[in-house]
Amino acid sequence: MTATRTAGTEVVVEADGGSRGNPGPAGYGAVVLDPVTGETLAEAAEYIGVATNNVAEYKGLVAGLKAAHELFPDAVVHVRMDSKLVVEQMSGRWKIKHPDMKPLAAEAARVFPAGRVRYEWIPREQNKHADRLANEAMDAGKRGVRWEPSTSSAALTAADARAARNAATPPPSGPPGDATAGAARARAALTGTGAGGGTGVGGGTGPADGTGVGAGTGAGSVERTGRVAGDAAGQPDDALSAADEALATQARASLASAATAERRTAAGAAASSGDFEAEAGILAHPGHTRTPAGAGPVVTAPAPGEAEAGATTPGPAPTRAGAPGWGAPDLGAPATFVLLRHGETALTPEKRFSGSGGSDPELSGAGLRQADAVAAALAARGTIQEIVSSPLKRCRQTAETVAARLGLDVRIEDGLRETDFGAWEGLTFAEVRERYPEDLDAWLASPKAAPTGGGESFATVSRRVSATRDRLTAVSAGRTVLLVTHVTPIKTLVRLALGAPPESLFRMELSAASLSAVAYYADGNASVRLLNDTSHLR
C-alpha cells in the first residue's frame, strides 16, 4: 500500500524480541501501525544469532523506529512494548548500566528527536503481532534462511487475536498480572455481592514479563522459553461478563482443589533445601502437610490481617485496615514484593541453623550458580524496578548478581536480616535437640520463646519484619520490588499476608534461590501470588 501522512501525525510502533535460552538463538520483530485503523504499515524481523532477550528487544525497538522513520520522517511515534525494562529505560526512569544495551539505547534515541517519541508498556497479550514476527525470525534462522515478509502470517494472527479479544472482554488495564477489576467481579460472583472486593483471586504475579514481577506464572508462548506473562483483566462494570463468570468458576475450582491438596501429605524436600524451619516442623510434627519444593502459584483469599505477634493458638485475626475479606474495595495498583531467598552457602545442604548471629557465610559455588540462574530469569521477565537486600553477605551477593544483570542498584535494609539463632548458629536440628532439648521444645511450642543464648524469638522477628514491610509498602505503590532475604523473613511475610498462625512457619518449605511474591493493597489487604518457585533452577 502507499502510506501517506502529514507532518507530525502519529504512528504506532510495536516491537518485541526473544531468545530461546537467554542467551540463545534470538530474533526480533517490529510493526508500524496506523493508530486509528490498526492497519499494518510496515513490518521488520530478523534472526540475530545468539543474544539475550533484552538485547533482542532493543534491536526490535531500533528496527521499528527506523521503519517508521523511513515511512514518515516527521511523525510522532507511540512505542508500545511488553518489556518493562526497555520502556522504563528509554523513558529515562531507569538507568541503563548493561554494556550491551547502552549502544542500542543510544541508537534508538537517535532515530527520532526525543520529544516525538513516547513509550508505553503493554501486556504481552497485546503485543502478539511483534511477538509473532520475532518467532518467525527465529524459526527462519533455525532453518538457515532469512525471514521474508511474504511468508509472514503475523498480521493475520494479530488481527484475529484482537478481534477475539475485543469480542470477549473490554480492554485490559492495570499492571501485569494484577487483575484487579476482573478479580473484583469474580469475588462478587463468589460472594453474591456487587463488584468490588479486596485482592485478586487468581491474578498471580511473579517476576514476569508483562509480571510483574507482577505477572502470572503461566508459561509464555512455546516459541520463547523463559518468558512468563499474566493477562490483565478488563475494566469493572455493573455485571459479570462471560469471561468473569469463567474466572469465578475457575476460582471456585482452584479453591476447592487447594483445600483438597491441603488435606494431603505433600512430598517435600526439606532435607535438601536447608530450610531449618520446615525441617523442624517435620521432625516435631510428622503428620503435618508441607508445601512441595518448586510449587507454583498459590491461589488464596486476601489476608484478613496479621495475627498478633506471639499468638499461640489459631483464630480470627484483626484487619490491618479497611474492610476484611473479598468485599473490600480495590484501591489501585498494589505494591508487589518479589521475595527471593539467597542462594546456597556451605551450611545450606547440611541443614544448619544460619542466622544473623553466626559466621555470615558467603555463597558457595552452587549458590553462585543459583544466583546467576535467578538473575537470568528476572532479566528475561523485565519487571523488577528496585532491589532491596538483607545486609548479610549471602543476600548481598545474590542481590548484586541480579542487580548487575538488570542494571539496578541494591539498597540495604537491616529489617530483612535473618533471625538471630543464638547458640544454635551453625548447628543442625539434631544437634540442637541433643544439646538444648528443653529450649528447643519451648521454641517449637511458642513464638515468644527465643533460641538458647539470647537469640531472637519469632515474635520479635515478626515485629521487625512487619515494620519493614510497612515502611517499604508506603513508598512502593504500583511498583514491583525484589526483596532478597532469608527463610524466616519470607515465611513471615507470607504468614502475615495469609493471616496464618505463627506455627505455620514450620509448615512451609522455602528452597535456596526460590521466588515467592506478595501484593499489598492500599486498604491493608494482601494477596499471596507465588510461593517457593524454583522453575528457573531446573
Side-chain angles (χ1 to χ4, degrees):
M1 63 162 288
T2 301
T4 304
R5 286 288 187 281
T6 59
T9 56
E10 184 176 31
V11 295
V12 172
V13 169
E14 293 180 349
D16 201 5
S19 171
R20 295 170 179 171
N22 198 35
Y28 67 74
V31 57
V32 183
L33 301 171
D34 184 306
V36 177
T37 66
E39 180 184 3
T40 298
L41 305 177
E43 291 178 325
E46 185 180 0
Y47 173 70
I48 59 174
V50 176
T52 66
N53 275 325
N54 295 142
V55 167
E57 288 164 343
Y58 262 110
K59 284 184 175 289
L61 169 63
V62 171
L65 290 172
K66 288 182 175 180
H69 191 271
E70 287 181 10
L71 293 174
F72 317 112
D74 297 323
V76 174
V77 183
H78 178 188
V79 174
R80 294 156 42 96
M81 297 182 68
D82 63 57
S83 170
K84 188 76 170 175
L85 180 77
V86 175
V87 167
E88 293 296 316
Q89 288 181 340
M90 292 303 298
S91 298
R93 292 184 288 269
W94 292 4
K95 294 180 181 178
I96 305 173
K97 295 184 177 181
H98 197 286
D100 292 340
M101 297 181 206
K102 285 183 178 180
L104 292 171
E107 183 179 2
R110 289 193 296 266
V111 179
F112 285 94
R116 297 221 308 267
V117 182
R118 65 186 177 95
Y119 290 86
E120 178 192 3
W121 177 88
I122 57 173
R124 189 167 175 226
E125 183 63 28
Q126 295 180 27
N127 203 25
K128 289 288 190 182
H129 193 153
D131 175 86
R132 180 68 180 174
L133 288 169
N135 278 301
E136 287 181 354
M138 286 185 279
D139 290 341
K142 185 177 181 179
R143 297 192 302 271
V145 299
R146 291 177 59 87
W147 174 84
E148 295 292 341
S150 60
T151 63
S152 175
S153 63
L156 294 174
T157 302
D160 290 344
R162 281 195 299 271
R165 184 171 65 247
N166 291 338
T169 61
S173 67
D178 176 32
T180 52
R185 296 199 294 276
R187 289 194 294 274
L190 290 171
T191 59
T193 64
T199 56
V201 175
T205 74
D209 192 14
T211 116
V213 222
T217 56
S221 64
V222 294
E223 294 91 348
R224 293 176 61 197
T225 61
R227 295 290 300 275
V228 184
D231 296 332
Q235 297 282 1
D237 54 27
D238 293 334
L240 286 170
S241 67
D244 293 319
E245 290 284 6
L247 177 60
T249 301
Q250 183 181 21
R252 293 189 191 97
S254 297
L255 290 169
S257 176
T260 301
E262 189 176 0
R263 291 191 293 268
R264 298 173 182 161
T265 300
S272 60
S273 70
D275 181 346
F276 35 80
E277 286 159 16
E279 180 76 1
I282 287 298
L283 293 174
H285 312 287
H288 288 154
T289 300
R290 290 167 40 197
T291 303
V298 177
V299 180
T300 68
E306 63 184 70
E308 289 185 21
T312 56
T313 57
T319 57
R320 287 174 55 207
W326 291 0
D330 288 311
L331 297 178
T336 301
F337 290 170
V338 178
L339 310 173
L340 170 59
R341 184 188 172 195
H342 60 80
E344 286 187 10
T345 72
L347 301 181
T348 306
E350 297 178 5
K351 300 174 290 176
R352 295 184 180 276
F353 284 89
S354 183
S356 57
S359 59
D360 193 14
E362 61 184 17
L363 294 181
S364 63
L368 291 170
R369 290 190 293 273
Q370 290 167 341
D372 284 336
V374 74
L378 292 173
R381 298 164 187 176
T383 57
I384 300 299
Q385 295 167 275
E386 185 178 354
I387 301 176
V388 182
S389 174
S390 157
L392 299 185
K393 186 181 299 180
R394 53 196 182 272
C395 283
R396 286 190 286 109
Q397 286 180 291
T398 304
E400 287 162 3
T401 300
V402 176
R405 194 69 178 262
L406 300 186
L408 297 174
D409 295 322
V410 177
R411 179 158 63 90
I412 301 300
E413 170 56 63
D414 187 66
L416 295 177
R417 70 183 186 277
E418 181 59 285
T419 305
D420 182 344
F421 290 108
W424 301 354
E425 293 278 359
L427 301 181
T428 66
F429 184 85
E431 289 169 342
V432 172
R433 167 68 75 190
E434 180 181 355
R435 300 182 194 184
Y436 309 105
E438 294 181 358
D439 290 348
L440 181 61
D441 287 342
W443 182 72
L444 292 171
S446 171
K448 295 182 179 180
T452 310
E456 289 180 294
S457 70
F458 283 145
T460 298
V461 175
S462 179
R463 288 190 292 271
R464 164 164 58 85
V465 170
S466 296
T468 303
R469 172 204 61 197
D470 292 344
R471 285 196 305 273
L472 294 175
T473 55
V475 296
S476 303
R479 293 177 64 78
T480 300
V481 182
L482 180 69
L483 305 187
V484 186
T485 180
H486 309 263
V487 168
T488 311
I490 294 175
K491 286 187 177 184
T492 297
L493 289 168
V494 171
R495 177 184 79 77
L496 296 176
L498 295 174
E503 54 264 35
S504 64
L505 293 174
F506 297 111
R507 302 176 192 173
M508 289 183 269
E509 183 175 324
L510 207 67
S511 302
S514 64
L515 290 165
S516 303
V518 180
Y520 298 93
Y521 290 82
D523 61 355
N525 280 306
S527 176
V528 176
R529 298 183 167 188
L530 188 71
L531 181 63
N532 197 36
D533 177 21
T534 57
S535 58
H536 49 280
L537 303 178
R538 295 197 289 270

